[in-house]
Amino acid sequence: MPTARRSAAFDPLSPDLDLDALVQQTPNFEYVTRISCDMIETQGLDTFEKLVLLHVLIGGKPLVIEGFHKRLDEWTFTSAWLQDNHGKKYENARNLSKQTNMTVSIGHYLSNMNKLTNQWNRHNYRDRDRQRLYLKDIDCPEVWHDKLREVVPPSIFYLNDSTGDVGGPGAVDEPNPHAPGLRKSRGVARAGDLMSCLPPAMRAENLMCYIGHEGTYTPAHREMCASLGQNLMVETSGTLDPDGKPTKPGSSIWFMTESKDRHLVSEYWLSTLGHDIEVEAHFAQINAWKSAPFTTYIVEQKLGDFILIPPLAPHQVWNRGTRTMKVAWNRTTVETLELALDEALPRARMVGRDEQYKNKAMIYFALGRYSELLRHVDRQKGSVSDHQHTLDLKYSPKIRQLQKDFRRLFSLYTRLLLAEVLPHNPRDDKKIQYLPFDGNITCSFCRCNIFNRFLTCTTCIIPLENGEEDTYDICLECYAMGRSCKCISGYKWVEQFKWQELTDKHERWRQQIVAFEGGLTDKSALPLHMEQQYMRKKSLAAVCQEQLRLRPWTDPKKPPTEPKLRKDADESLVNADGTVTVKKRKPQVIEKGHIKNHVSNYPEPAWKLSACKCGRAYSYGNLFRAFDTMPLTVMEDPDWQCPHCLRICSCGKCRKVAGMKPFEPTGTVLGYDTRRVADPRSTESLVDFKQSNFEWVKKAGDDSEDSRRLSRRFDEAEAAKSQGAALDDDHYVNEGENTIITNGHDENESPTVQTCQDDIPIDPLLGGLPSNGTQTVRPNPAFDDSLQDGENQEPPHLFVAPSAVMLDQRHLGGGFTTDENGIVFQYPDPTDPDPTVPQYAPPQVEQRSQPAKGSDQSKKRKRSDTRDQVQTDMLDPNQANEQYHKAQVKRTLADARRSDRYIIAEAAMSGKSLSVKLGVDKNKLAQILNQTPAQTTRPIKTNVILQSDYPSPSSKVNPLNNPLKRARIERDDEFSTRKNKRRKSEKEGEDLTKKSSKFMAISSGSEAEEDMNGDDGGYAQDRVPKPRQLPAYLARKNDVGDHEIPRELTSEPRPSRRKSTLVESAVRPHHSSKESEEPVVALAEANRRAKLRALHWNNIDSPEDESEPESLPEEPTGSTKKTPASKPLNVPRLQNGTSSVPPKVKASVTPGSVPVSIFSKGRKIRVASSKGSEKPHMTNGKTARHSLGV
C-alpha cells in the first residue's frame, strides 16, 4: 500500500544559507551557464535563437540571461507602482504552511511583506505554524506586458506569432499603426509560440506574476505539457524600502536538472524520496540533492536574471529576502509538442493534472496557419518577376525551417487521426453525435482537453440551476484504461469535427508537403487509408468500441453488490469435546462469464482479464504493476502473448518452472488516488491505480537504496548525453558553423565569442570543463559494476552529510528518521485522513563550519581524495546500510513506545493494519455520549501575521484597514427604540431614566467613531460638548419650508419611541407660567406624536393588531406657532366614524417639575365619549383631566 512507504519530509532552507560554499563543496552541484543580454544585440537574434535551440531545447540544459534590469523601466516595475495601480485588486495567496488559499488584496500583501519576512531567523525557520504566503499565478498587468515586449527578444516572448525579420522574404505591405502610410511586415517564418496559432478565445493565459517573501517556495515540478519555461526577475527588495525601512535583499534559489536526466530524476523521486514529481507536492531537501545520482544546476536569480527552463526538466524554487517579483510565461514549439504527446500528457493523465494548453487542437490550428503561409509564398513566387527575389523565397532559411516544422506537425496530426479511426460501419457513423468544436470539452476523469472524438454517458447527467446539463464525458485514453462513471458501459459517441473534413485537410496538407519536397520519395507522407493499412494494431477508437461491447452496464442508482469472500484454505472446526475437524474446501464453481486469474488462481469476470491464446488469463492490474504493461498495450495488440508464453512470468508457480526468467519492474509505481481531482461520478473498473508495485519489486529483490531501477535509468541518461546536441538534417536547417556567445563573470570584461564542437556554450565561471565544451558527469559507482574493480577506479561515494551525523535523534518523534545520507524521512500515520499534506522535518542542527574563501579547501573538491574515507572493510556496504536502517527503525520505535504510539508506528513501517475492538458497557457509553463537551477557549495564534482583507458580505467596513476600538456606549431607556418592558416601581418619585452602559467595538474611520470623538478625533476632558447637528435629510427639509425648525437638536432628552398596547389620549399639558410652558408642551406633544404612530385606534382590546399610520397630514392653517414636534398626526378614525384629533388640549402640571411623560407610569387610560364628557383618570395616585371634542 502507498501509505506504508516512507517519504522524505519537508526541510526548509535556512535564511543564513551560504550558497557559494554549498556549491563549492558539493560534487554534483554546478552553476548554470550565463550570458549577457548585451551579447544578443552584438551577435544578432539568429545566433541567439540557435543558442536557445541547441542548449535548451535539444541539449536540455538551463540557461540564464542576465542584465535585463538595466533595460526595464525603473518606475513601472516596482512594488510602489503595483500598489498604486493594482493595490485594490484581490488575489488568492497560497498559504504553504496550511496548504490553503487566502483572499487578499495586492496592496495589503505588499504592505505586510516586511513583517512576513522578519518572522524568520536561523532558530525558528523550521516552525510549522508560521505563515508562508505566496502570491503566485496572478495576472500580469497589461502595462508590464507592453513594457516587456520592448525589452525581451521577440522570438522568446509571450504569444510570438512570427520569428521572421522585418522586410524579410515573404513580407508584405501592411498599414502602419504609428504613422500614416504602409510599412513592411515580418517575413514568413515559424512562430515562436504555437499558442498564438489558436483562436484568441482558446488560448491559455499563462503570462503570470509571482510575488514572494522569505520562506516561500515552489515544489519540485515540470513545466506544464512539456513547454519551455521562462522566468524573469523584474523587482527585488534592497536594503531599504521606499519609506526608508530596512529590508533584506531579495533573490531566488533554483535547483534545476537537465531534460536528459528526467527519467533518472523521476525514479529517484519515486524510489528514494517516496514522492511523485508529477503531483508537485514536495520540496526536496538539500541533502536529497546532494545524494542524487545526477547533476544539479544551481541558480541564484537576482534582479534582471532571465531563466530559460528546459522542457520536462524537474526544478524547484526557494525565495529569499523581503520581496521577489517575477514574471513568467511558457512557450510551445514543435519539439515540446512531440514531448507532450509522448510523455507529458500520459503522465498528467495518470495523476489527473489539468491540461490547459490544448496541445492536440494546437497541432490542428498550427497546420492551418503554416499551410496558409506556405501558399502565400507560392503565390509570391508566381507573381514576382524578379529572379533574385524568387531565389530568396526558395532558399530562405526561415522558410525552409517552416517547411520542416510543417512536416513534423503533419506527422503528429496523422497520429491523432489514426488513433480515432473507427471500423467503417455506416450504421455506426449515423449514431455519432456532432458537437461543434469550441475547445472547452475536457475529460471528466483526467481533465485533459479533448480534441475530437469522445464518449458521453446518457445516464449520469446532472441538471444545473442555470438550465444547462452537466454531462459525464470521458476521453478515449481513460476509457481504455478502465476509467468511467459508475455505469461502466452504455456510452454514446460524440465528435467535434466532421470526419470527412479532417480527412480532406489531411490529404490537402499531404499534397502540399509533396509539392515543396519536390515530388514523391521513400520518405514522403502516405495517404491516411494507407497509413491505416500499415498499422499492425487496433486504433484507440476501435479498442473503446470493443470494450463497450464487453463491459456490462451497471445501474448507478442500485447499491453495489458485495464481492464473495474467498476461501483459499480448508476450514478448521473445534467440536464441543475439544477435537478439531478439518472441513475440506469445496471445489470452486466458476460462474458464467468468469475466468480464473493465472496469478491469483481465483475466478474473476472475463471482461476484467486479458486472455492469451494459450488459455491463461491475466488481470490488467497484475499486468500493470508486475509487468509494466498498460491495459491499452494489451488491448490494441491482436497477437498479444501473455508473460508465461514470453517466459517472463513472475508469479509463484512460474518461478519454479525451468527456463523462466521472472520479469523485474523497470520503475517504481507509488500509486495516486485520483478521487480528489476526478469527477465524483468516476470509478476505476480494470486497474486500481492507487496501488503501488512495491510487493512485486520486493519479489524481484530490488528494494535496496542503490536499486537496479536507478542504475538502469542512469545508463539511459548517460547514453542520451553521449549523443550531444547536434542539429538533425531532417528536422532543422543547419548553415555551417555554430557560433555561440558567452561572457565572463566581471561585467567590465569584454565578451567573447566561442565556437564549440557540440554547439554547447561554455561558462568561464565553471572552469575545469573539457576543451570541447561538454561536461562529463561521473557515474555513481554504486550503479556501475565496471567501476567496482580495477586500478583506476574512483573511490565510492561515501560522503556523509553533516546533518546525518549531528542530527539529534531525540527530536525524531512521530515517525521521523534519517538515512545515511542525512535525508529526513517520515512514515505516514495510518490515522491521518490526508497523507499527502506535506509534513515538516524535525529540528536540525547547524551545519559544519565552512572554510574561508580563497583557501585551498574552499575550492571545488573532487570525488577522488579530498574527503575522509570511511572504513568499510568489516561489512559489505549493503549490509552496513541495512544495519544502519535497522538501528534507525529500532530507535524510532523506542521513541514511539515512550509516546504511546508504538502500535501505529510499527504498523506504518511494516505496512500492516490492525483493528482493535474495545468493549464498553452500554450504560457507560450512553453516559459518555450524553455528556456535553466542555467549552474551551481556542488559543490565540501568535504566528498569524497576515489576514485576509477581503470584505465580508455582511460588513461594509474592513476590519483590517479599520482596526476596532473599545468604546463605552450608554443606553437610555427613554431614548431606546426597543420594546423594553421595564419593571414597575413602587417607590414614588423614582427616576425612570437610569442609564446602562456597555462596551462596544467601533471601527476606526467609521461614522460611529466620528460621532464619538468629534472633530478632534478623541475624547477631550475640558471640552464643552456642542449641540448635536441635525441629520442631512432634516437639514434639507428645513431648507425647503420649515424655517422654524432648529438646525441643532435640543439638549433635552428625547421622548421614548417604544410601541405600546395602550390607547393614548391626545393631551397637551397646560403650564401655569409662560416660561415653563414651552418645554413641557414640546415634550407632551412629542410623546403624543410618538405614541399615536404605534397605536391602532380602532381596536382597543386587541394589542396584537397594531399598525403604524402610513402618512401625516399637513398642519391646519390656523396654527401660527410651531414647535420642534408640533406637526399634526394622521390619527385614525374612531369606530363611530368621527375624527380623534383634539381641537384643544389642557393639562395641569406642577411648575418646575421634571417633564415626564404621563404615559410612562399608568396602567389604563379611559377615554371620554365623543360627546365631550369628562371622566377622571387615575395614574399612580395622580389625577389628569382629558377632554375630547369633535
Side-chain angles (χ1 to χ4, degrees):
M1 293 292 292
T3 56
R5 187 73 174 182
R6 68 173 188 173
S7 57
F10 169 70
D11 189 17
L13 303 186
S14 173
D16 300 334
L17 176 66
D18 190 350
L19 188 61
D20 292 336
L22 176 67
V23 175
Q24 291 175 7
Q25 297 183 4
T26 307
N28 61 330
F29 279 13
E30 300 288 348
Y31 278 114
V32 176
T33 302
R34 286 177 173 267
I35 65 172
S36 174
C37 62
D38 297 333
M39 298 277 57
I40 300 177
E41 296 181 354
T42 304
Q43 301 296 327
L45 288 176
D46 293 340
T47 304
F48 172 72
E49 292 176 9
K50 199 167 189 179
L51 168 64
V52 174
L53 177 64
L54 289 170
H55 187 74
V56 183
L57 280 174
I58 300 178
K61 294 183 179 181
L63 179 67
V64 178
I65 309 171
E66 59 185 8
F68 275 101
H69 63 283
K70 302 176 183 178
R71 305 186 179 188
L72 295 176
D73 187 2
E74 59 181 358
W75 303 106
T76 304
F77 293 95
T78 60
S79 59
W81 183 93
L82 190 64
Q83 191 166 10
D84 294 340
N85 294 272
H86 299 272
K88 297 182 179 180
K89 183 179 180 182
Y90 289 94
E91 298 287 353
N92 287 327
R94 186 64 174 174
N95 189 348
L96 301 175
S97 301
K98 304 297 181 182
Q99 296 297 315
T100 57
N101 291 333
M102 177 189 296
T103 303
V104 295
S105 63
I106 297 179
H108 183 57
Y109 179 80
L110 293 175
S111 301
N112 291 273
M113 294 192 73
N114 204 1
K115 297 180 180 179
L116 292 170
T117 302
N118 294 334
Q119 65 175 330
W120 302 106
N121 53 54
R122 59 181 302 180
H123 303 290
N124 65 356
Y125 69 94
R126 284 191 174 93
D127 290 353
R128 59 186 305 174
D129 295 331
R130 295 184 179 270
Q131 286 184 321
R132 302 178 187 269
L133 296 179
Y134 197 7
L135 201 61
K136 57 187 303 185
D137 295 331
I138 65 175
D139 295 333
C140 180
E142 294 184 2
V143 177
W144 285 15
H145 172 269
D146 298 337
K147 295 287 185 180
L148 289 175
R149 183 188 295 273
E150 302 173 358
V151 176
V152 179
S155 59
I156 60 175
F157 191 64
Y158 176 63
L159 292 180
N160 174 263
D161 57 354
S162 177
T163 58
D165 301 328
V166 177
V172 296
D173 295 333
E174 62 179 10
N176 190 351
H178 306 290
L182 300 176
R183 67 174 185 181
K184 284 291 184 180
S185 65
R186 291 187 176 272
V188 175
R190 63 175 182 175
D193 186 4
L194 291 180
M195 184 73 70
S196 61
C197 299
L198 288 175
M202 300 182 188
R203 297 172 183 173
E205 300 289 339
N206 60 13
L207 183 64
M208 300 295 178
C209 291
Y210 298 81
I211 306 176
H213 59 85
E214 175 72 47
T216 57
Y217 61 91
T218 300
H221 67 286
R222 312 173 195 259
E223 294 299 321
M224 180 177 292
C225 300
S227 58
L228 179 63
Q230 293 159 140
N231 193 293
L232 175 61
M233 183 75 78
V234 297
E235 202 267 346
T236 59
S237 58
T239 56
L240 294 175
D241 62 358
D243 298 334
K245 297 180 181 179
T247 57
K248 298 180 180 179
S251 63
S252 296
I253 300 177
W254 291 63
F255 297 84
M256 310 183 72
T257 60
E258 54 182 306
S259 298
K260 295 180 180 180
D261 284 335
R262 61 183 181 273
H263 300 299
L264 178 60
V265 177
S266 179
E267 181 59 33
Y268 177 74
W269 239 251
L270 292 168
S271 60
T272 304
L273 303 184
H275 292 277
D276 191 351
I277 204 168
E278 302 296 336
V279 181
E280 302 181 7
H282 177 63
F283 183 89
Q285 312 166 25
I286 292 183
N287 289 332
W289 291 101
K290 288 181 178 179
S291 306
F294 49 82
T295 302
T296 301
Y297 296 93
I298 304 298
V299 178
E300 185 176 9
Q301 186 184 20
K302 297 183 179 180
L303 181 61
D305 288 349
F306 186 33
I307 301 179
L308 301 183
I309 308 166
L312 290 179
H315 58 280
Q316 66 182 25
V317 188
W318 183 270
N319 296 321
R320 308 178 74 181
T322 303
R323 184 177 59 258
T324 59
M325 299 173 60
K326 300 185 283 287
V327 178
W329 65 93
N330 294 68
R331 291 192 301 122
T332 304
T333 62
V334 180
E335 295 83 3
T336 63
L337 282 177
E338 293 176 345
L339 293 174
L341 293 185
D342 294 336
E343 298 184 33
L345 292 183
R347 290 178 179 268
R349 188 176 295 110
M350 291 295 297
V351 299
R353 187 181 181 185
D354 187 15
E355 181 200 355
Q356 302 178 2
Y357 289 177
K358 304 176 179 63
N359 291 270
K360 296 180 181 180
M362 201 181 301
I363 296 172
Y364 174 78
F365 286 100
L367 279 171
R369 177 178 177 82
Y370 283 7
S371 175
E372 181 63 30
L373 290 177
L374 292 176
R375 285 198 296 267
H376 169 72
V377 172
D378 293 339
R379 288 192 296 268
Q380 281 194 349
K381 290 179 182 179
S383 59
V384 176
S385 58
D386 187 4
H387 180 67
Q388 183 62 36
H389 186 66
T390 304
L391 293 178
D392 293 341
L393 292 175
K394 184 177 181 179
Y395 297 104
S396 170
K398 293 186 178 296
I399 295 179
R400 291 167 55 197
Q401 186 61 53
L402 176 65
Q403 295 173 350
K404 291 182 177 294
D405 286 359
F406 184 76
R407 173 63 187 270
R408 297 175 71 175
L409 289 172
F410 181 78
S411 300
L412 298 177
Y413 181 68
T414 304
R415 289 175 52 184
L416 299 181
L417 295 187
L418 291 177
E420 297 186 358
V421 170
L422 281 170
H424 181 66
N425 190 346
R427 291 182 299 178
D428 294 341
D429 295 343
K430 295 180 180 179
K431 297 180 181 179
I432 300 178
Q433 179 185 354
Y434 172 70
L435 182 67
F437 179 80
D438 60 356
N440 297 323
I441 304 297
T442 57
C443 178
S444 299
F445 200 107
C446 68
R447 301 190 298 171
C448 287
N449 186 262
I450 299 177
F451 169 62
N452 184 29
R453 285 180 173 173
F454 62 94
L455 297 171
T456 183
C457 182
T458 57
T459 304
C460 299
I461 300 177
I462 301 177
L464 302 178
E465 296 180 357
N466 56 1
E468 298 181 357
E469 294 180 345
D470 183 13
T471 59
Y472 189 90
D473 305 326
I474 194 77
C475 65
L476 303 184
E477 291 85 357
C478 281
Y479 191 76
M481 294 167 58
R483 295 173 169 179
S484 63
C485 64
K486 300 296 191 302
C487 297
I488 299 179
S489 186
Y491 285 82
K492 185 178 181 179
W493 285 93
V494 184
E495 64 180 8
Q496 304 180 70
F497 292 95
K498 293 294 184 181
W499 186 252
Q500 188 64 36
E501 176 187 354
L502 296 179
T503 55
D504 291 346
K505 288 188 176 181
H506 181 274
E507 181 62 22
R508 183 165 62 251
W509 292 336
R510 188 190 69 85
Q511 294 178 1
Q512 195 171 1
I513 293 174
V514 172
F516 65 68
E517 285 184 348
L520 291 173
T521 61
D522 297 339
K523 298 182 179 180
S524 298
L526 299 177
L528 187 62
H529 67 278
M530 296 185 65
E531 293 280 3
Q532 186 178 357
Q533 292 177 1
Y534 284 106
M535 285 181 59
R536 297 183 179 180
K537 58 183 181 180
K538 303 176 185 177
S539 65
L540 176 61
V543 168
C544 294
Q545 191 177 38
E546 180 181 317
Q547 291 297 314
L548 284 173
R549 293 192 297 265
L550 295 177
R551 301 177 188 178
W553 181 82
T554 305
D555 191 355
K557 299 180 181 179
K558 295 183 179 180
T561 58
E562 297 182 359
K564 297 182 179 180
L565 297 178
R566 295 180 53 180
K567 296 182 180 180
D568 297 335
D570 299 335
E571 296 182 1
S572 299
L573 302 178
V574 181
N575 301 325
D577 55 356
T579 60
V580 179
T581 303
V582 178
K583 185 178 180 180
K584 295 295 183 180
R585 182 184 59 179
K586 296 181 180 180
Q588 295 181 357
V589 178
I590 301 178
E591 300 179 3
K592 184 179 180 181
H594 286 61
I595 304 177
K596 185 177 293 186
N597 188 352
H598 174 71
V599 177
S600 63
N601 200 24
Y602 189 79
E604 296 182 14
W607 60 274
K608 291 187 177 182
L609 303 176
S610 178
C612 181
K613 296 179 180 180
C614 66
R616 298 177 179 85
Y618 288 76
S619 67
Y620 291 103
N622 292 333
L623 292 173
F624 171 70
R625 285 183 287 271
F627 304 100
D628 296 345
T629 305
M630 290 292 292
L632 179 60
T633 306
V634 180
M635 297 173 183
E636 67 184 3
D637 189 0
D639 301 326
W640 176 76
Q641 291 182 338
C642 66
H644 186 275
C645 295
L646 297 175
R647 315 301 293 174
I648 60 172
C649 186
S650 57
C651 67
K653 296 180 297 183
C654 295
R655 285 179 179 271
K656 303 177 183 178
V657 178
M660 191 73 65
K661 295 181 179 180
F663 181 83
E664 294 184 6
T666 59
T668 305
V669 177
L670 284 180
Y672 182 73
D673 190 0
T674 55
R675 289 178 296 181
R676 303 176 183 178
V677 295
D679 194 285
R681 298 167 285 183
S682 304
T683 185
E684 293 177 342
S685 57
L686 292 184
V687 182
D688 187 4
F689 290 99
K690 299 187 297 295
Q691 303 295 327
S692 65
N693 66 343
F694 292 149
E695 294 299 329
W696 295 99
V697 170
K698 291 180 180 179
K699 290 181 180 180
D702 193 24
D703 196 28
S704 60
E705 293 293 334
D706 299 333
S707 62
R708 292 186 292 272
R709 290 163 288 142
L710 274 176
S711 178
R712 191 178 298 109
R713 301 300 185 192
F714 182 85
D715 295 338
E716 294 174 356
E718 290 299 315
K721 295 176 185 177
S722 62
Q723 298 178 1
L727 295 178
D728 186 6
D729 293 337
D730 294 337
H731 296 159
Y732 301 100
V733 177
N734 191 1
E735 291 185 272
E737 193 176 21
N738 302 317
T739 304
I740 307 301
I741 53 178
T742 60
N743 72 314
H745 179 68
D746 189 0
E747 295 182 359
N748 298 325
E749 181 181 353
S750 59
T752 59
V753 180
Q754 300 181 2
T755 302
C756 308
Q757 295 179 359
D758 294 332
D759 304 309
I760 297 298
I762 301 175
D763 188 1
L765 281 177
L766 300 180
L769 297 182
S771 58
N772 57 358
T774 60
Q775 177 186 359
T776 303
V777 180
R778 295 185 178 273
N780 194 330
F783 302 148
D784 195 348
D785 298 336
S786 62
L787 297 180
Q788 298 298 331
D789 300 324
E791 298 179 357
N792 298 327
Q793 74 173 37
E794 188 179 23
H797 180 60
L798 300 176
F799 174 75
V800 181
S803 59
V805 181
M806 305 173 63
L807 186 64
D808 189 358
Q809 301 295 335
R810 293 174 297 177
H811 296 286
L812 292 181
F816 287 101
T817 183
T818 58
D819 65 352
E820 64 277 6
N821 295 322
I823 305 175
V824 182
F825 289 90
Q826 62 176 351
Y827 286 92
D829 190 349
T831 62
D832 189 1
D834 190 4
T836 61
V837 176
Q839 303 293 332
Y840 285 78
Q844 192 173 359
V845 300
E846 46 186 271
Q847 298 181 357
R848 64 179 65 173
S849 59
Q850 306 294 347
K853 294 184 179 180
S855 61
D856 297 337
Q857 297 181 357
S858 65
K859 297 181 180 179
K860 190 75 175 181
R861 297 186 300 171
K862 299 182 180 181
R863 298 188 183 208
S864 58
D865 53 359
T866 56
R867 58 179 177 270
D868 297 335
Q869 299 291 332
V870 179
Q871 300 296 332
T872 58
D873 298 336
M874 301 298 295
L875 293 175
D876 183 78
N878 294 332
Q879 295 180 0
N881 294 339
E882 184 177 356
Q883 290 186 7
Y884 180 80
H885 178 66
K886 289 181 179 180
Q888 294 289 340
V889 172
K890 184 178 180 180
R891 198 163 25 261
T892 303
L893 291 177
D895 295 339
R897 188 187 298 276
R898 287 191 295 268
S899 59
D900 295 334
R901 287 175 49 87
Y902 178 81
I903 296 178
I904 296 177
E906 196 276 335
M909 293 180 181
S910 60
K912 300 177 181 179
S913 60
L914 178 62
S915 299
V916 181
K917 294 184 178 180
L918 300 178
V920 183
D921 184 63
K922 295 183 179 179
N923 297 330
K924 184 65 175 178
L925 180 62
Q927 182 181 0
I928 295 175
L929 295 177
N930 292 332
Q931 288 180 356
T932 304
Q935 296 182 358
T936 58
T937 58
R938 301 180 64 181
I940 300 176
K941 297 181 179 180
T942 58
N943 293 333
V944 177
I945 296 178
L946 182 64
Q947 296 182 356
S948 175
D949 63 336
Y950 188 77
S952 60
S954 60
S955 176
K956 295 182 180 180
V957 181
N958 195 335
L960 294 180
N961 295 335
N962 301 282
L964 298 179
K965 295 182 178 180
R966 199 162 183 253
R968 185 182 180 190
I969 305 299
E970 296 183 349
R971 180 176 61 86
D972 193 342
D973 293 337
E974 280 296 327
F975 288 82
S976 175
T977 58
R978 298 182 180 179
K979 194 172 183 179
N980 186 14
K981 296 182 179 180
R982 295 182 299 170
R983 296 182 179 179
K984 182 177 61 176
S985 176
E986 298 295 339
K987 298 181 181 180
E988 186 176 351
E990 180 182 0
D991 188 8
L992 299 178
T993 60
K994 292 183 179 180
K995 301 178 181 179
S996 60
S997 62
K998 63 178 181 179
F999 287 94
M1000 180 178 180
I1002 297 178
S1003 301
S1004 63
S1006 60
E1007 296 181 359
E1009 186 192 26
E1010 294 176 0
D1011 296 338
M1012 179 181 65
N1013 297 341
D1015 298 335
D1016 56 352
Y1019 293 101
Q1021 297 180 358
D1022 300 334
R1023 179 172 56 89
V1024 178
K1026 298 180 180 180
R1028 292 181 295 168
Q1029 298 293 331
L1030 281 176
Y1033 71 95
L1034 288 181
R1036 289 194 299 267
K1037 183 178 180 181
N1038 185 22
D1039 294 338
V1040 174
D1042 296 338
H1043 300 285
E1044 296 183 6
I1045 297 180
R1047 293 183 178 273
E1048 296 181 355
L1049 296 179
T1050 177
S1051 59
E1052 298 294 334
R1054 293 182 300 172
S1056 175
R1057 294 185 180 181
R1058 294 180 291 109
K1059 294 184 180 181
S1060 176
T1061 58
L1062 302 177
V1063 179
E1064 187 70 49
S1065 61
V1067 178
R1068 182 186 300 273
H1070 178 71
H1071 296 271
S1072 58
S1073 62
K1074 187 176 181 180
E1075 290 80 11
S1076 61
E1077 181 179 1
E1078 293 183 1
V1080 175
V1081 172
L1083 176 61
E1085 182 64 15
N1087 279 331
R1088 182 184 65 82
R1089 287 168 50 84
K1091 295 299 180 181
L1092 291 180
R1093 285 178 183 271
L1095 299 181
H1096 192 289
W1097 195 270
N1098 295 347
N1099 193 350
I1100 298 177
D1101 299 330
S1102 301
E1104 67 275 9
D1105 188 14
E1106 297 179 0
S1107 61
E1108 193 172 357
E1110 297 179 357
S1111 60
L1112 297 175
E1114 297 181 357
E1115 178 77 16
T1117 55
S1119 178
T1120 58
K1121 180 73 175 177
K1122 289 186 178 182
T1123 60
S1126 63
K1127 197 170 183 178
L1129 298 174
N1130 184 15
V1131 182
R1133 311 287 294 185
L1134 295 176
Q1135 294 182 359
N1136 56 5
T1138 59
S1139 174
S1140 62
V1141 179
K1144 195 173 193 178
V1145 180
K1146 296 182 180 180
S1148 177
V1149 182
T1150 304
S1153 61
V1154 179
V1156 180
S1157 173
I1158 63 174
F1159 307 112
S1160 60
K1161 298 181 180 180
R1163 291 185 179 181
K1164 295 183 179 180
I1165 298 178
R1166 293 186 301 172
V1167 183
S1169 63
S1170 59
K1171 296 180 181 181
S1173 60
E1174 297 182 0
K1175 295 183 181 181
H1177 172 60
M1178 300 299 298
T1179 306
N1180 289 343
K1182 294 185 179 181
T1183 303
R1185 302 189 64 84
H1186 307 262
S1187 64
L1188 286 176
V1190 180

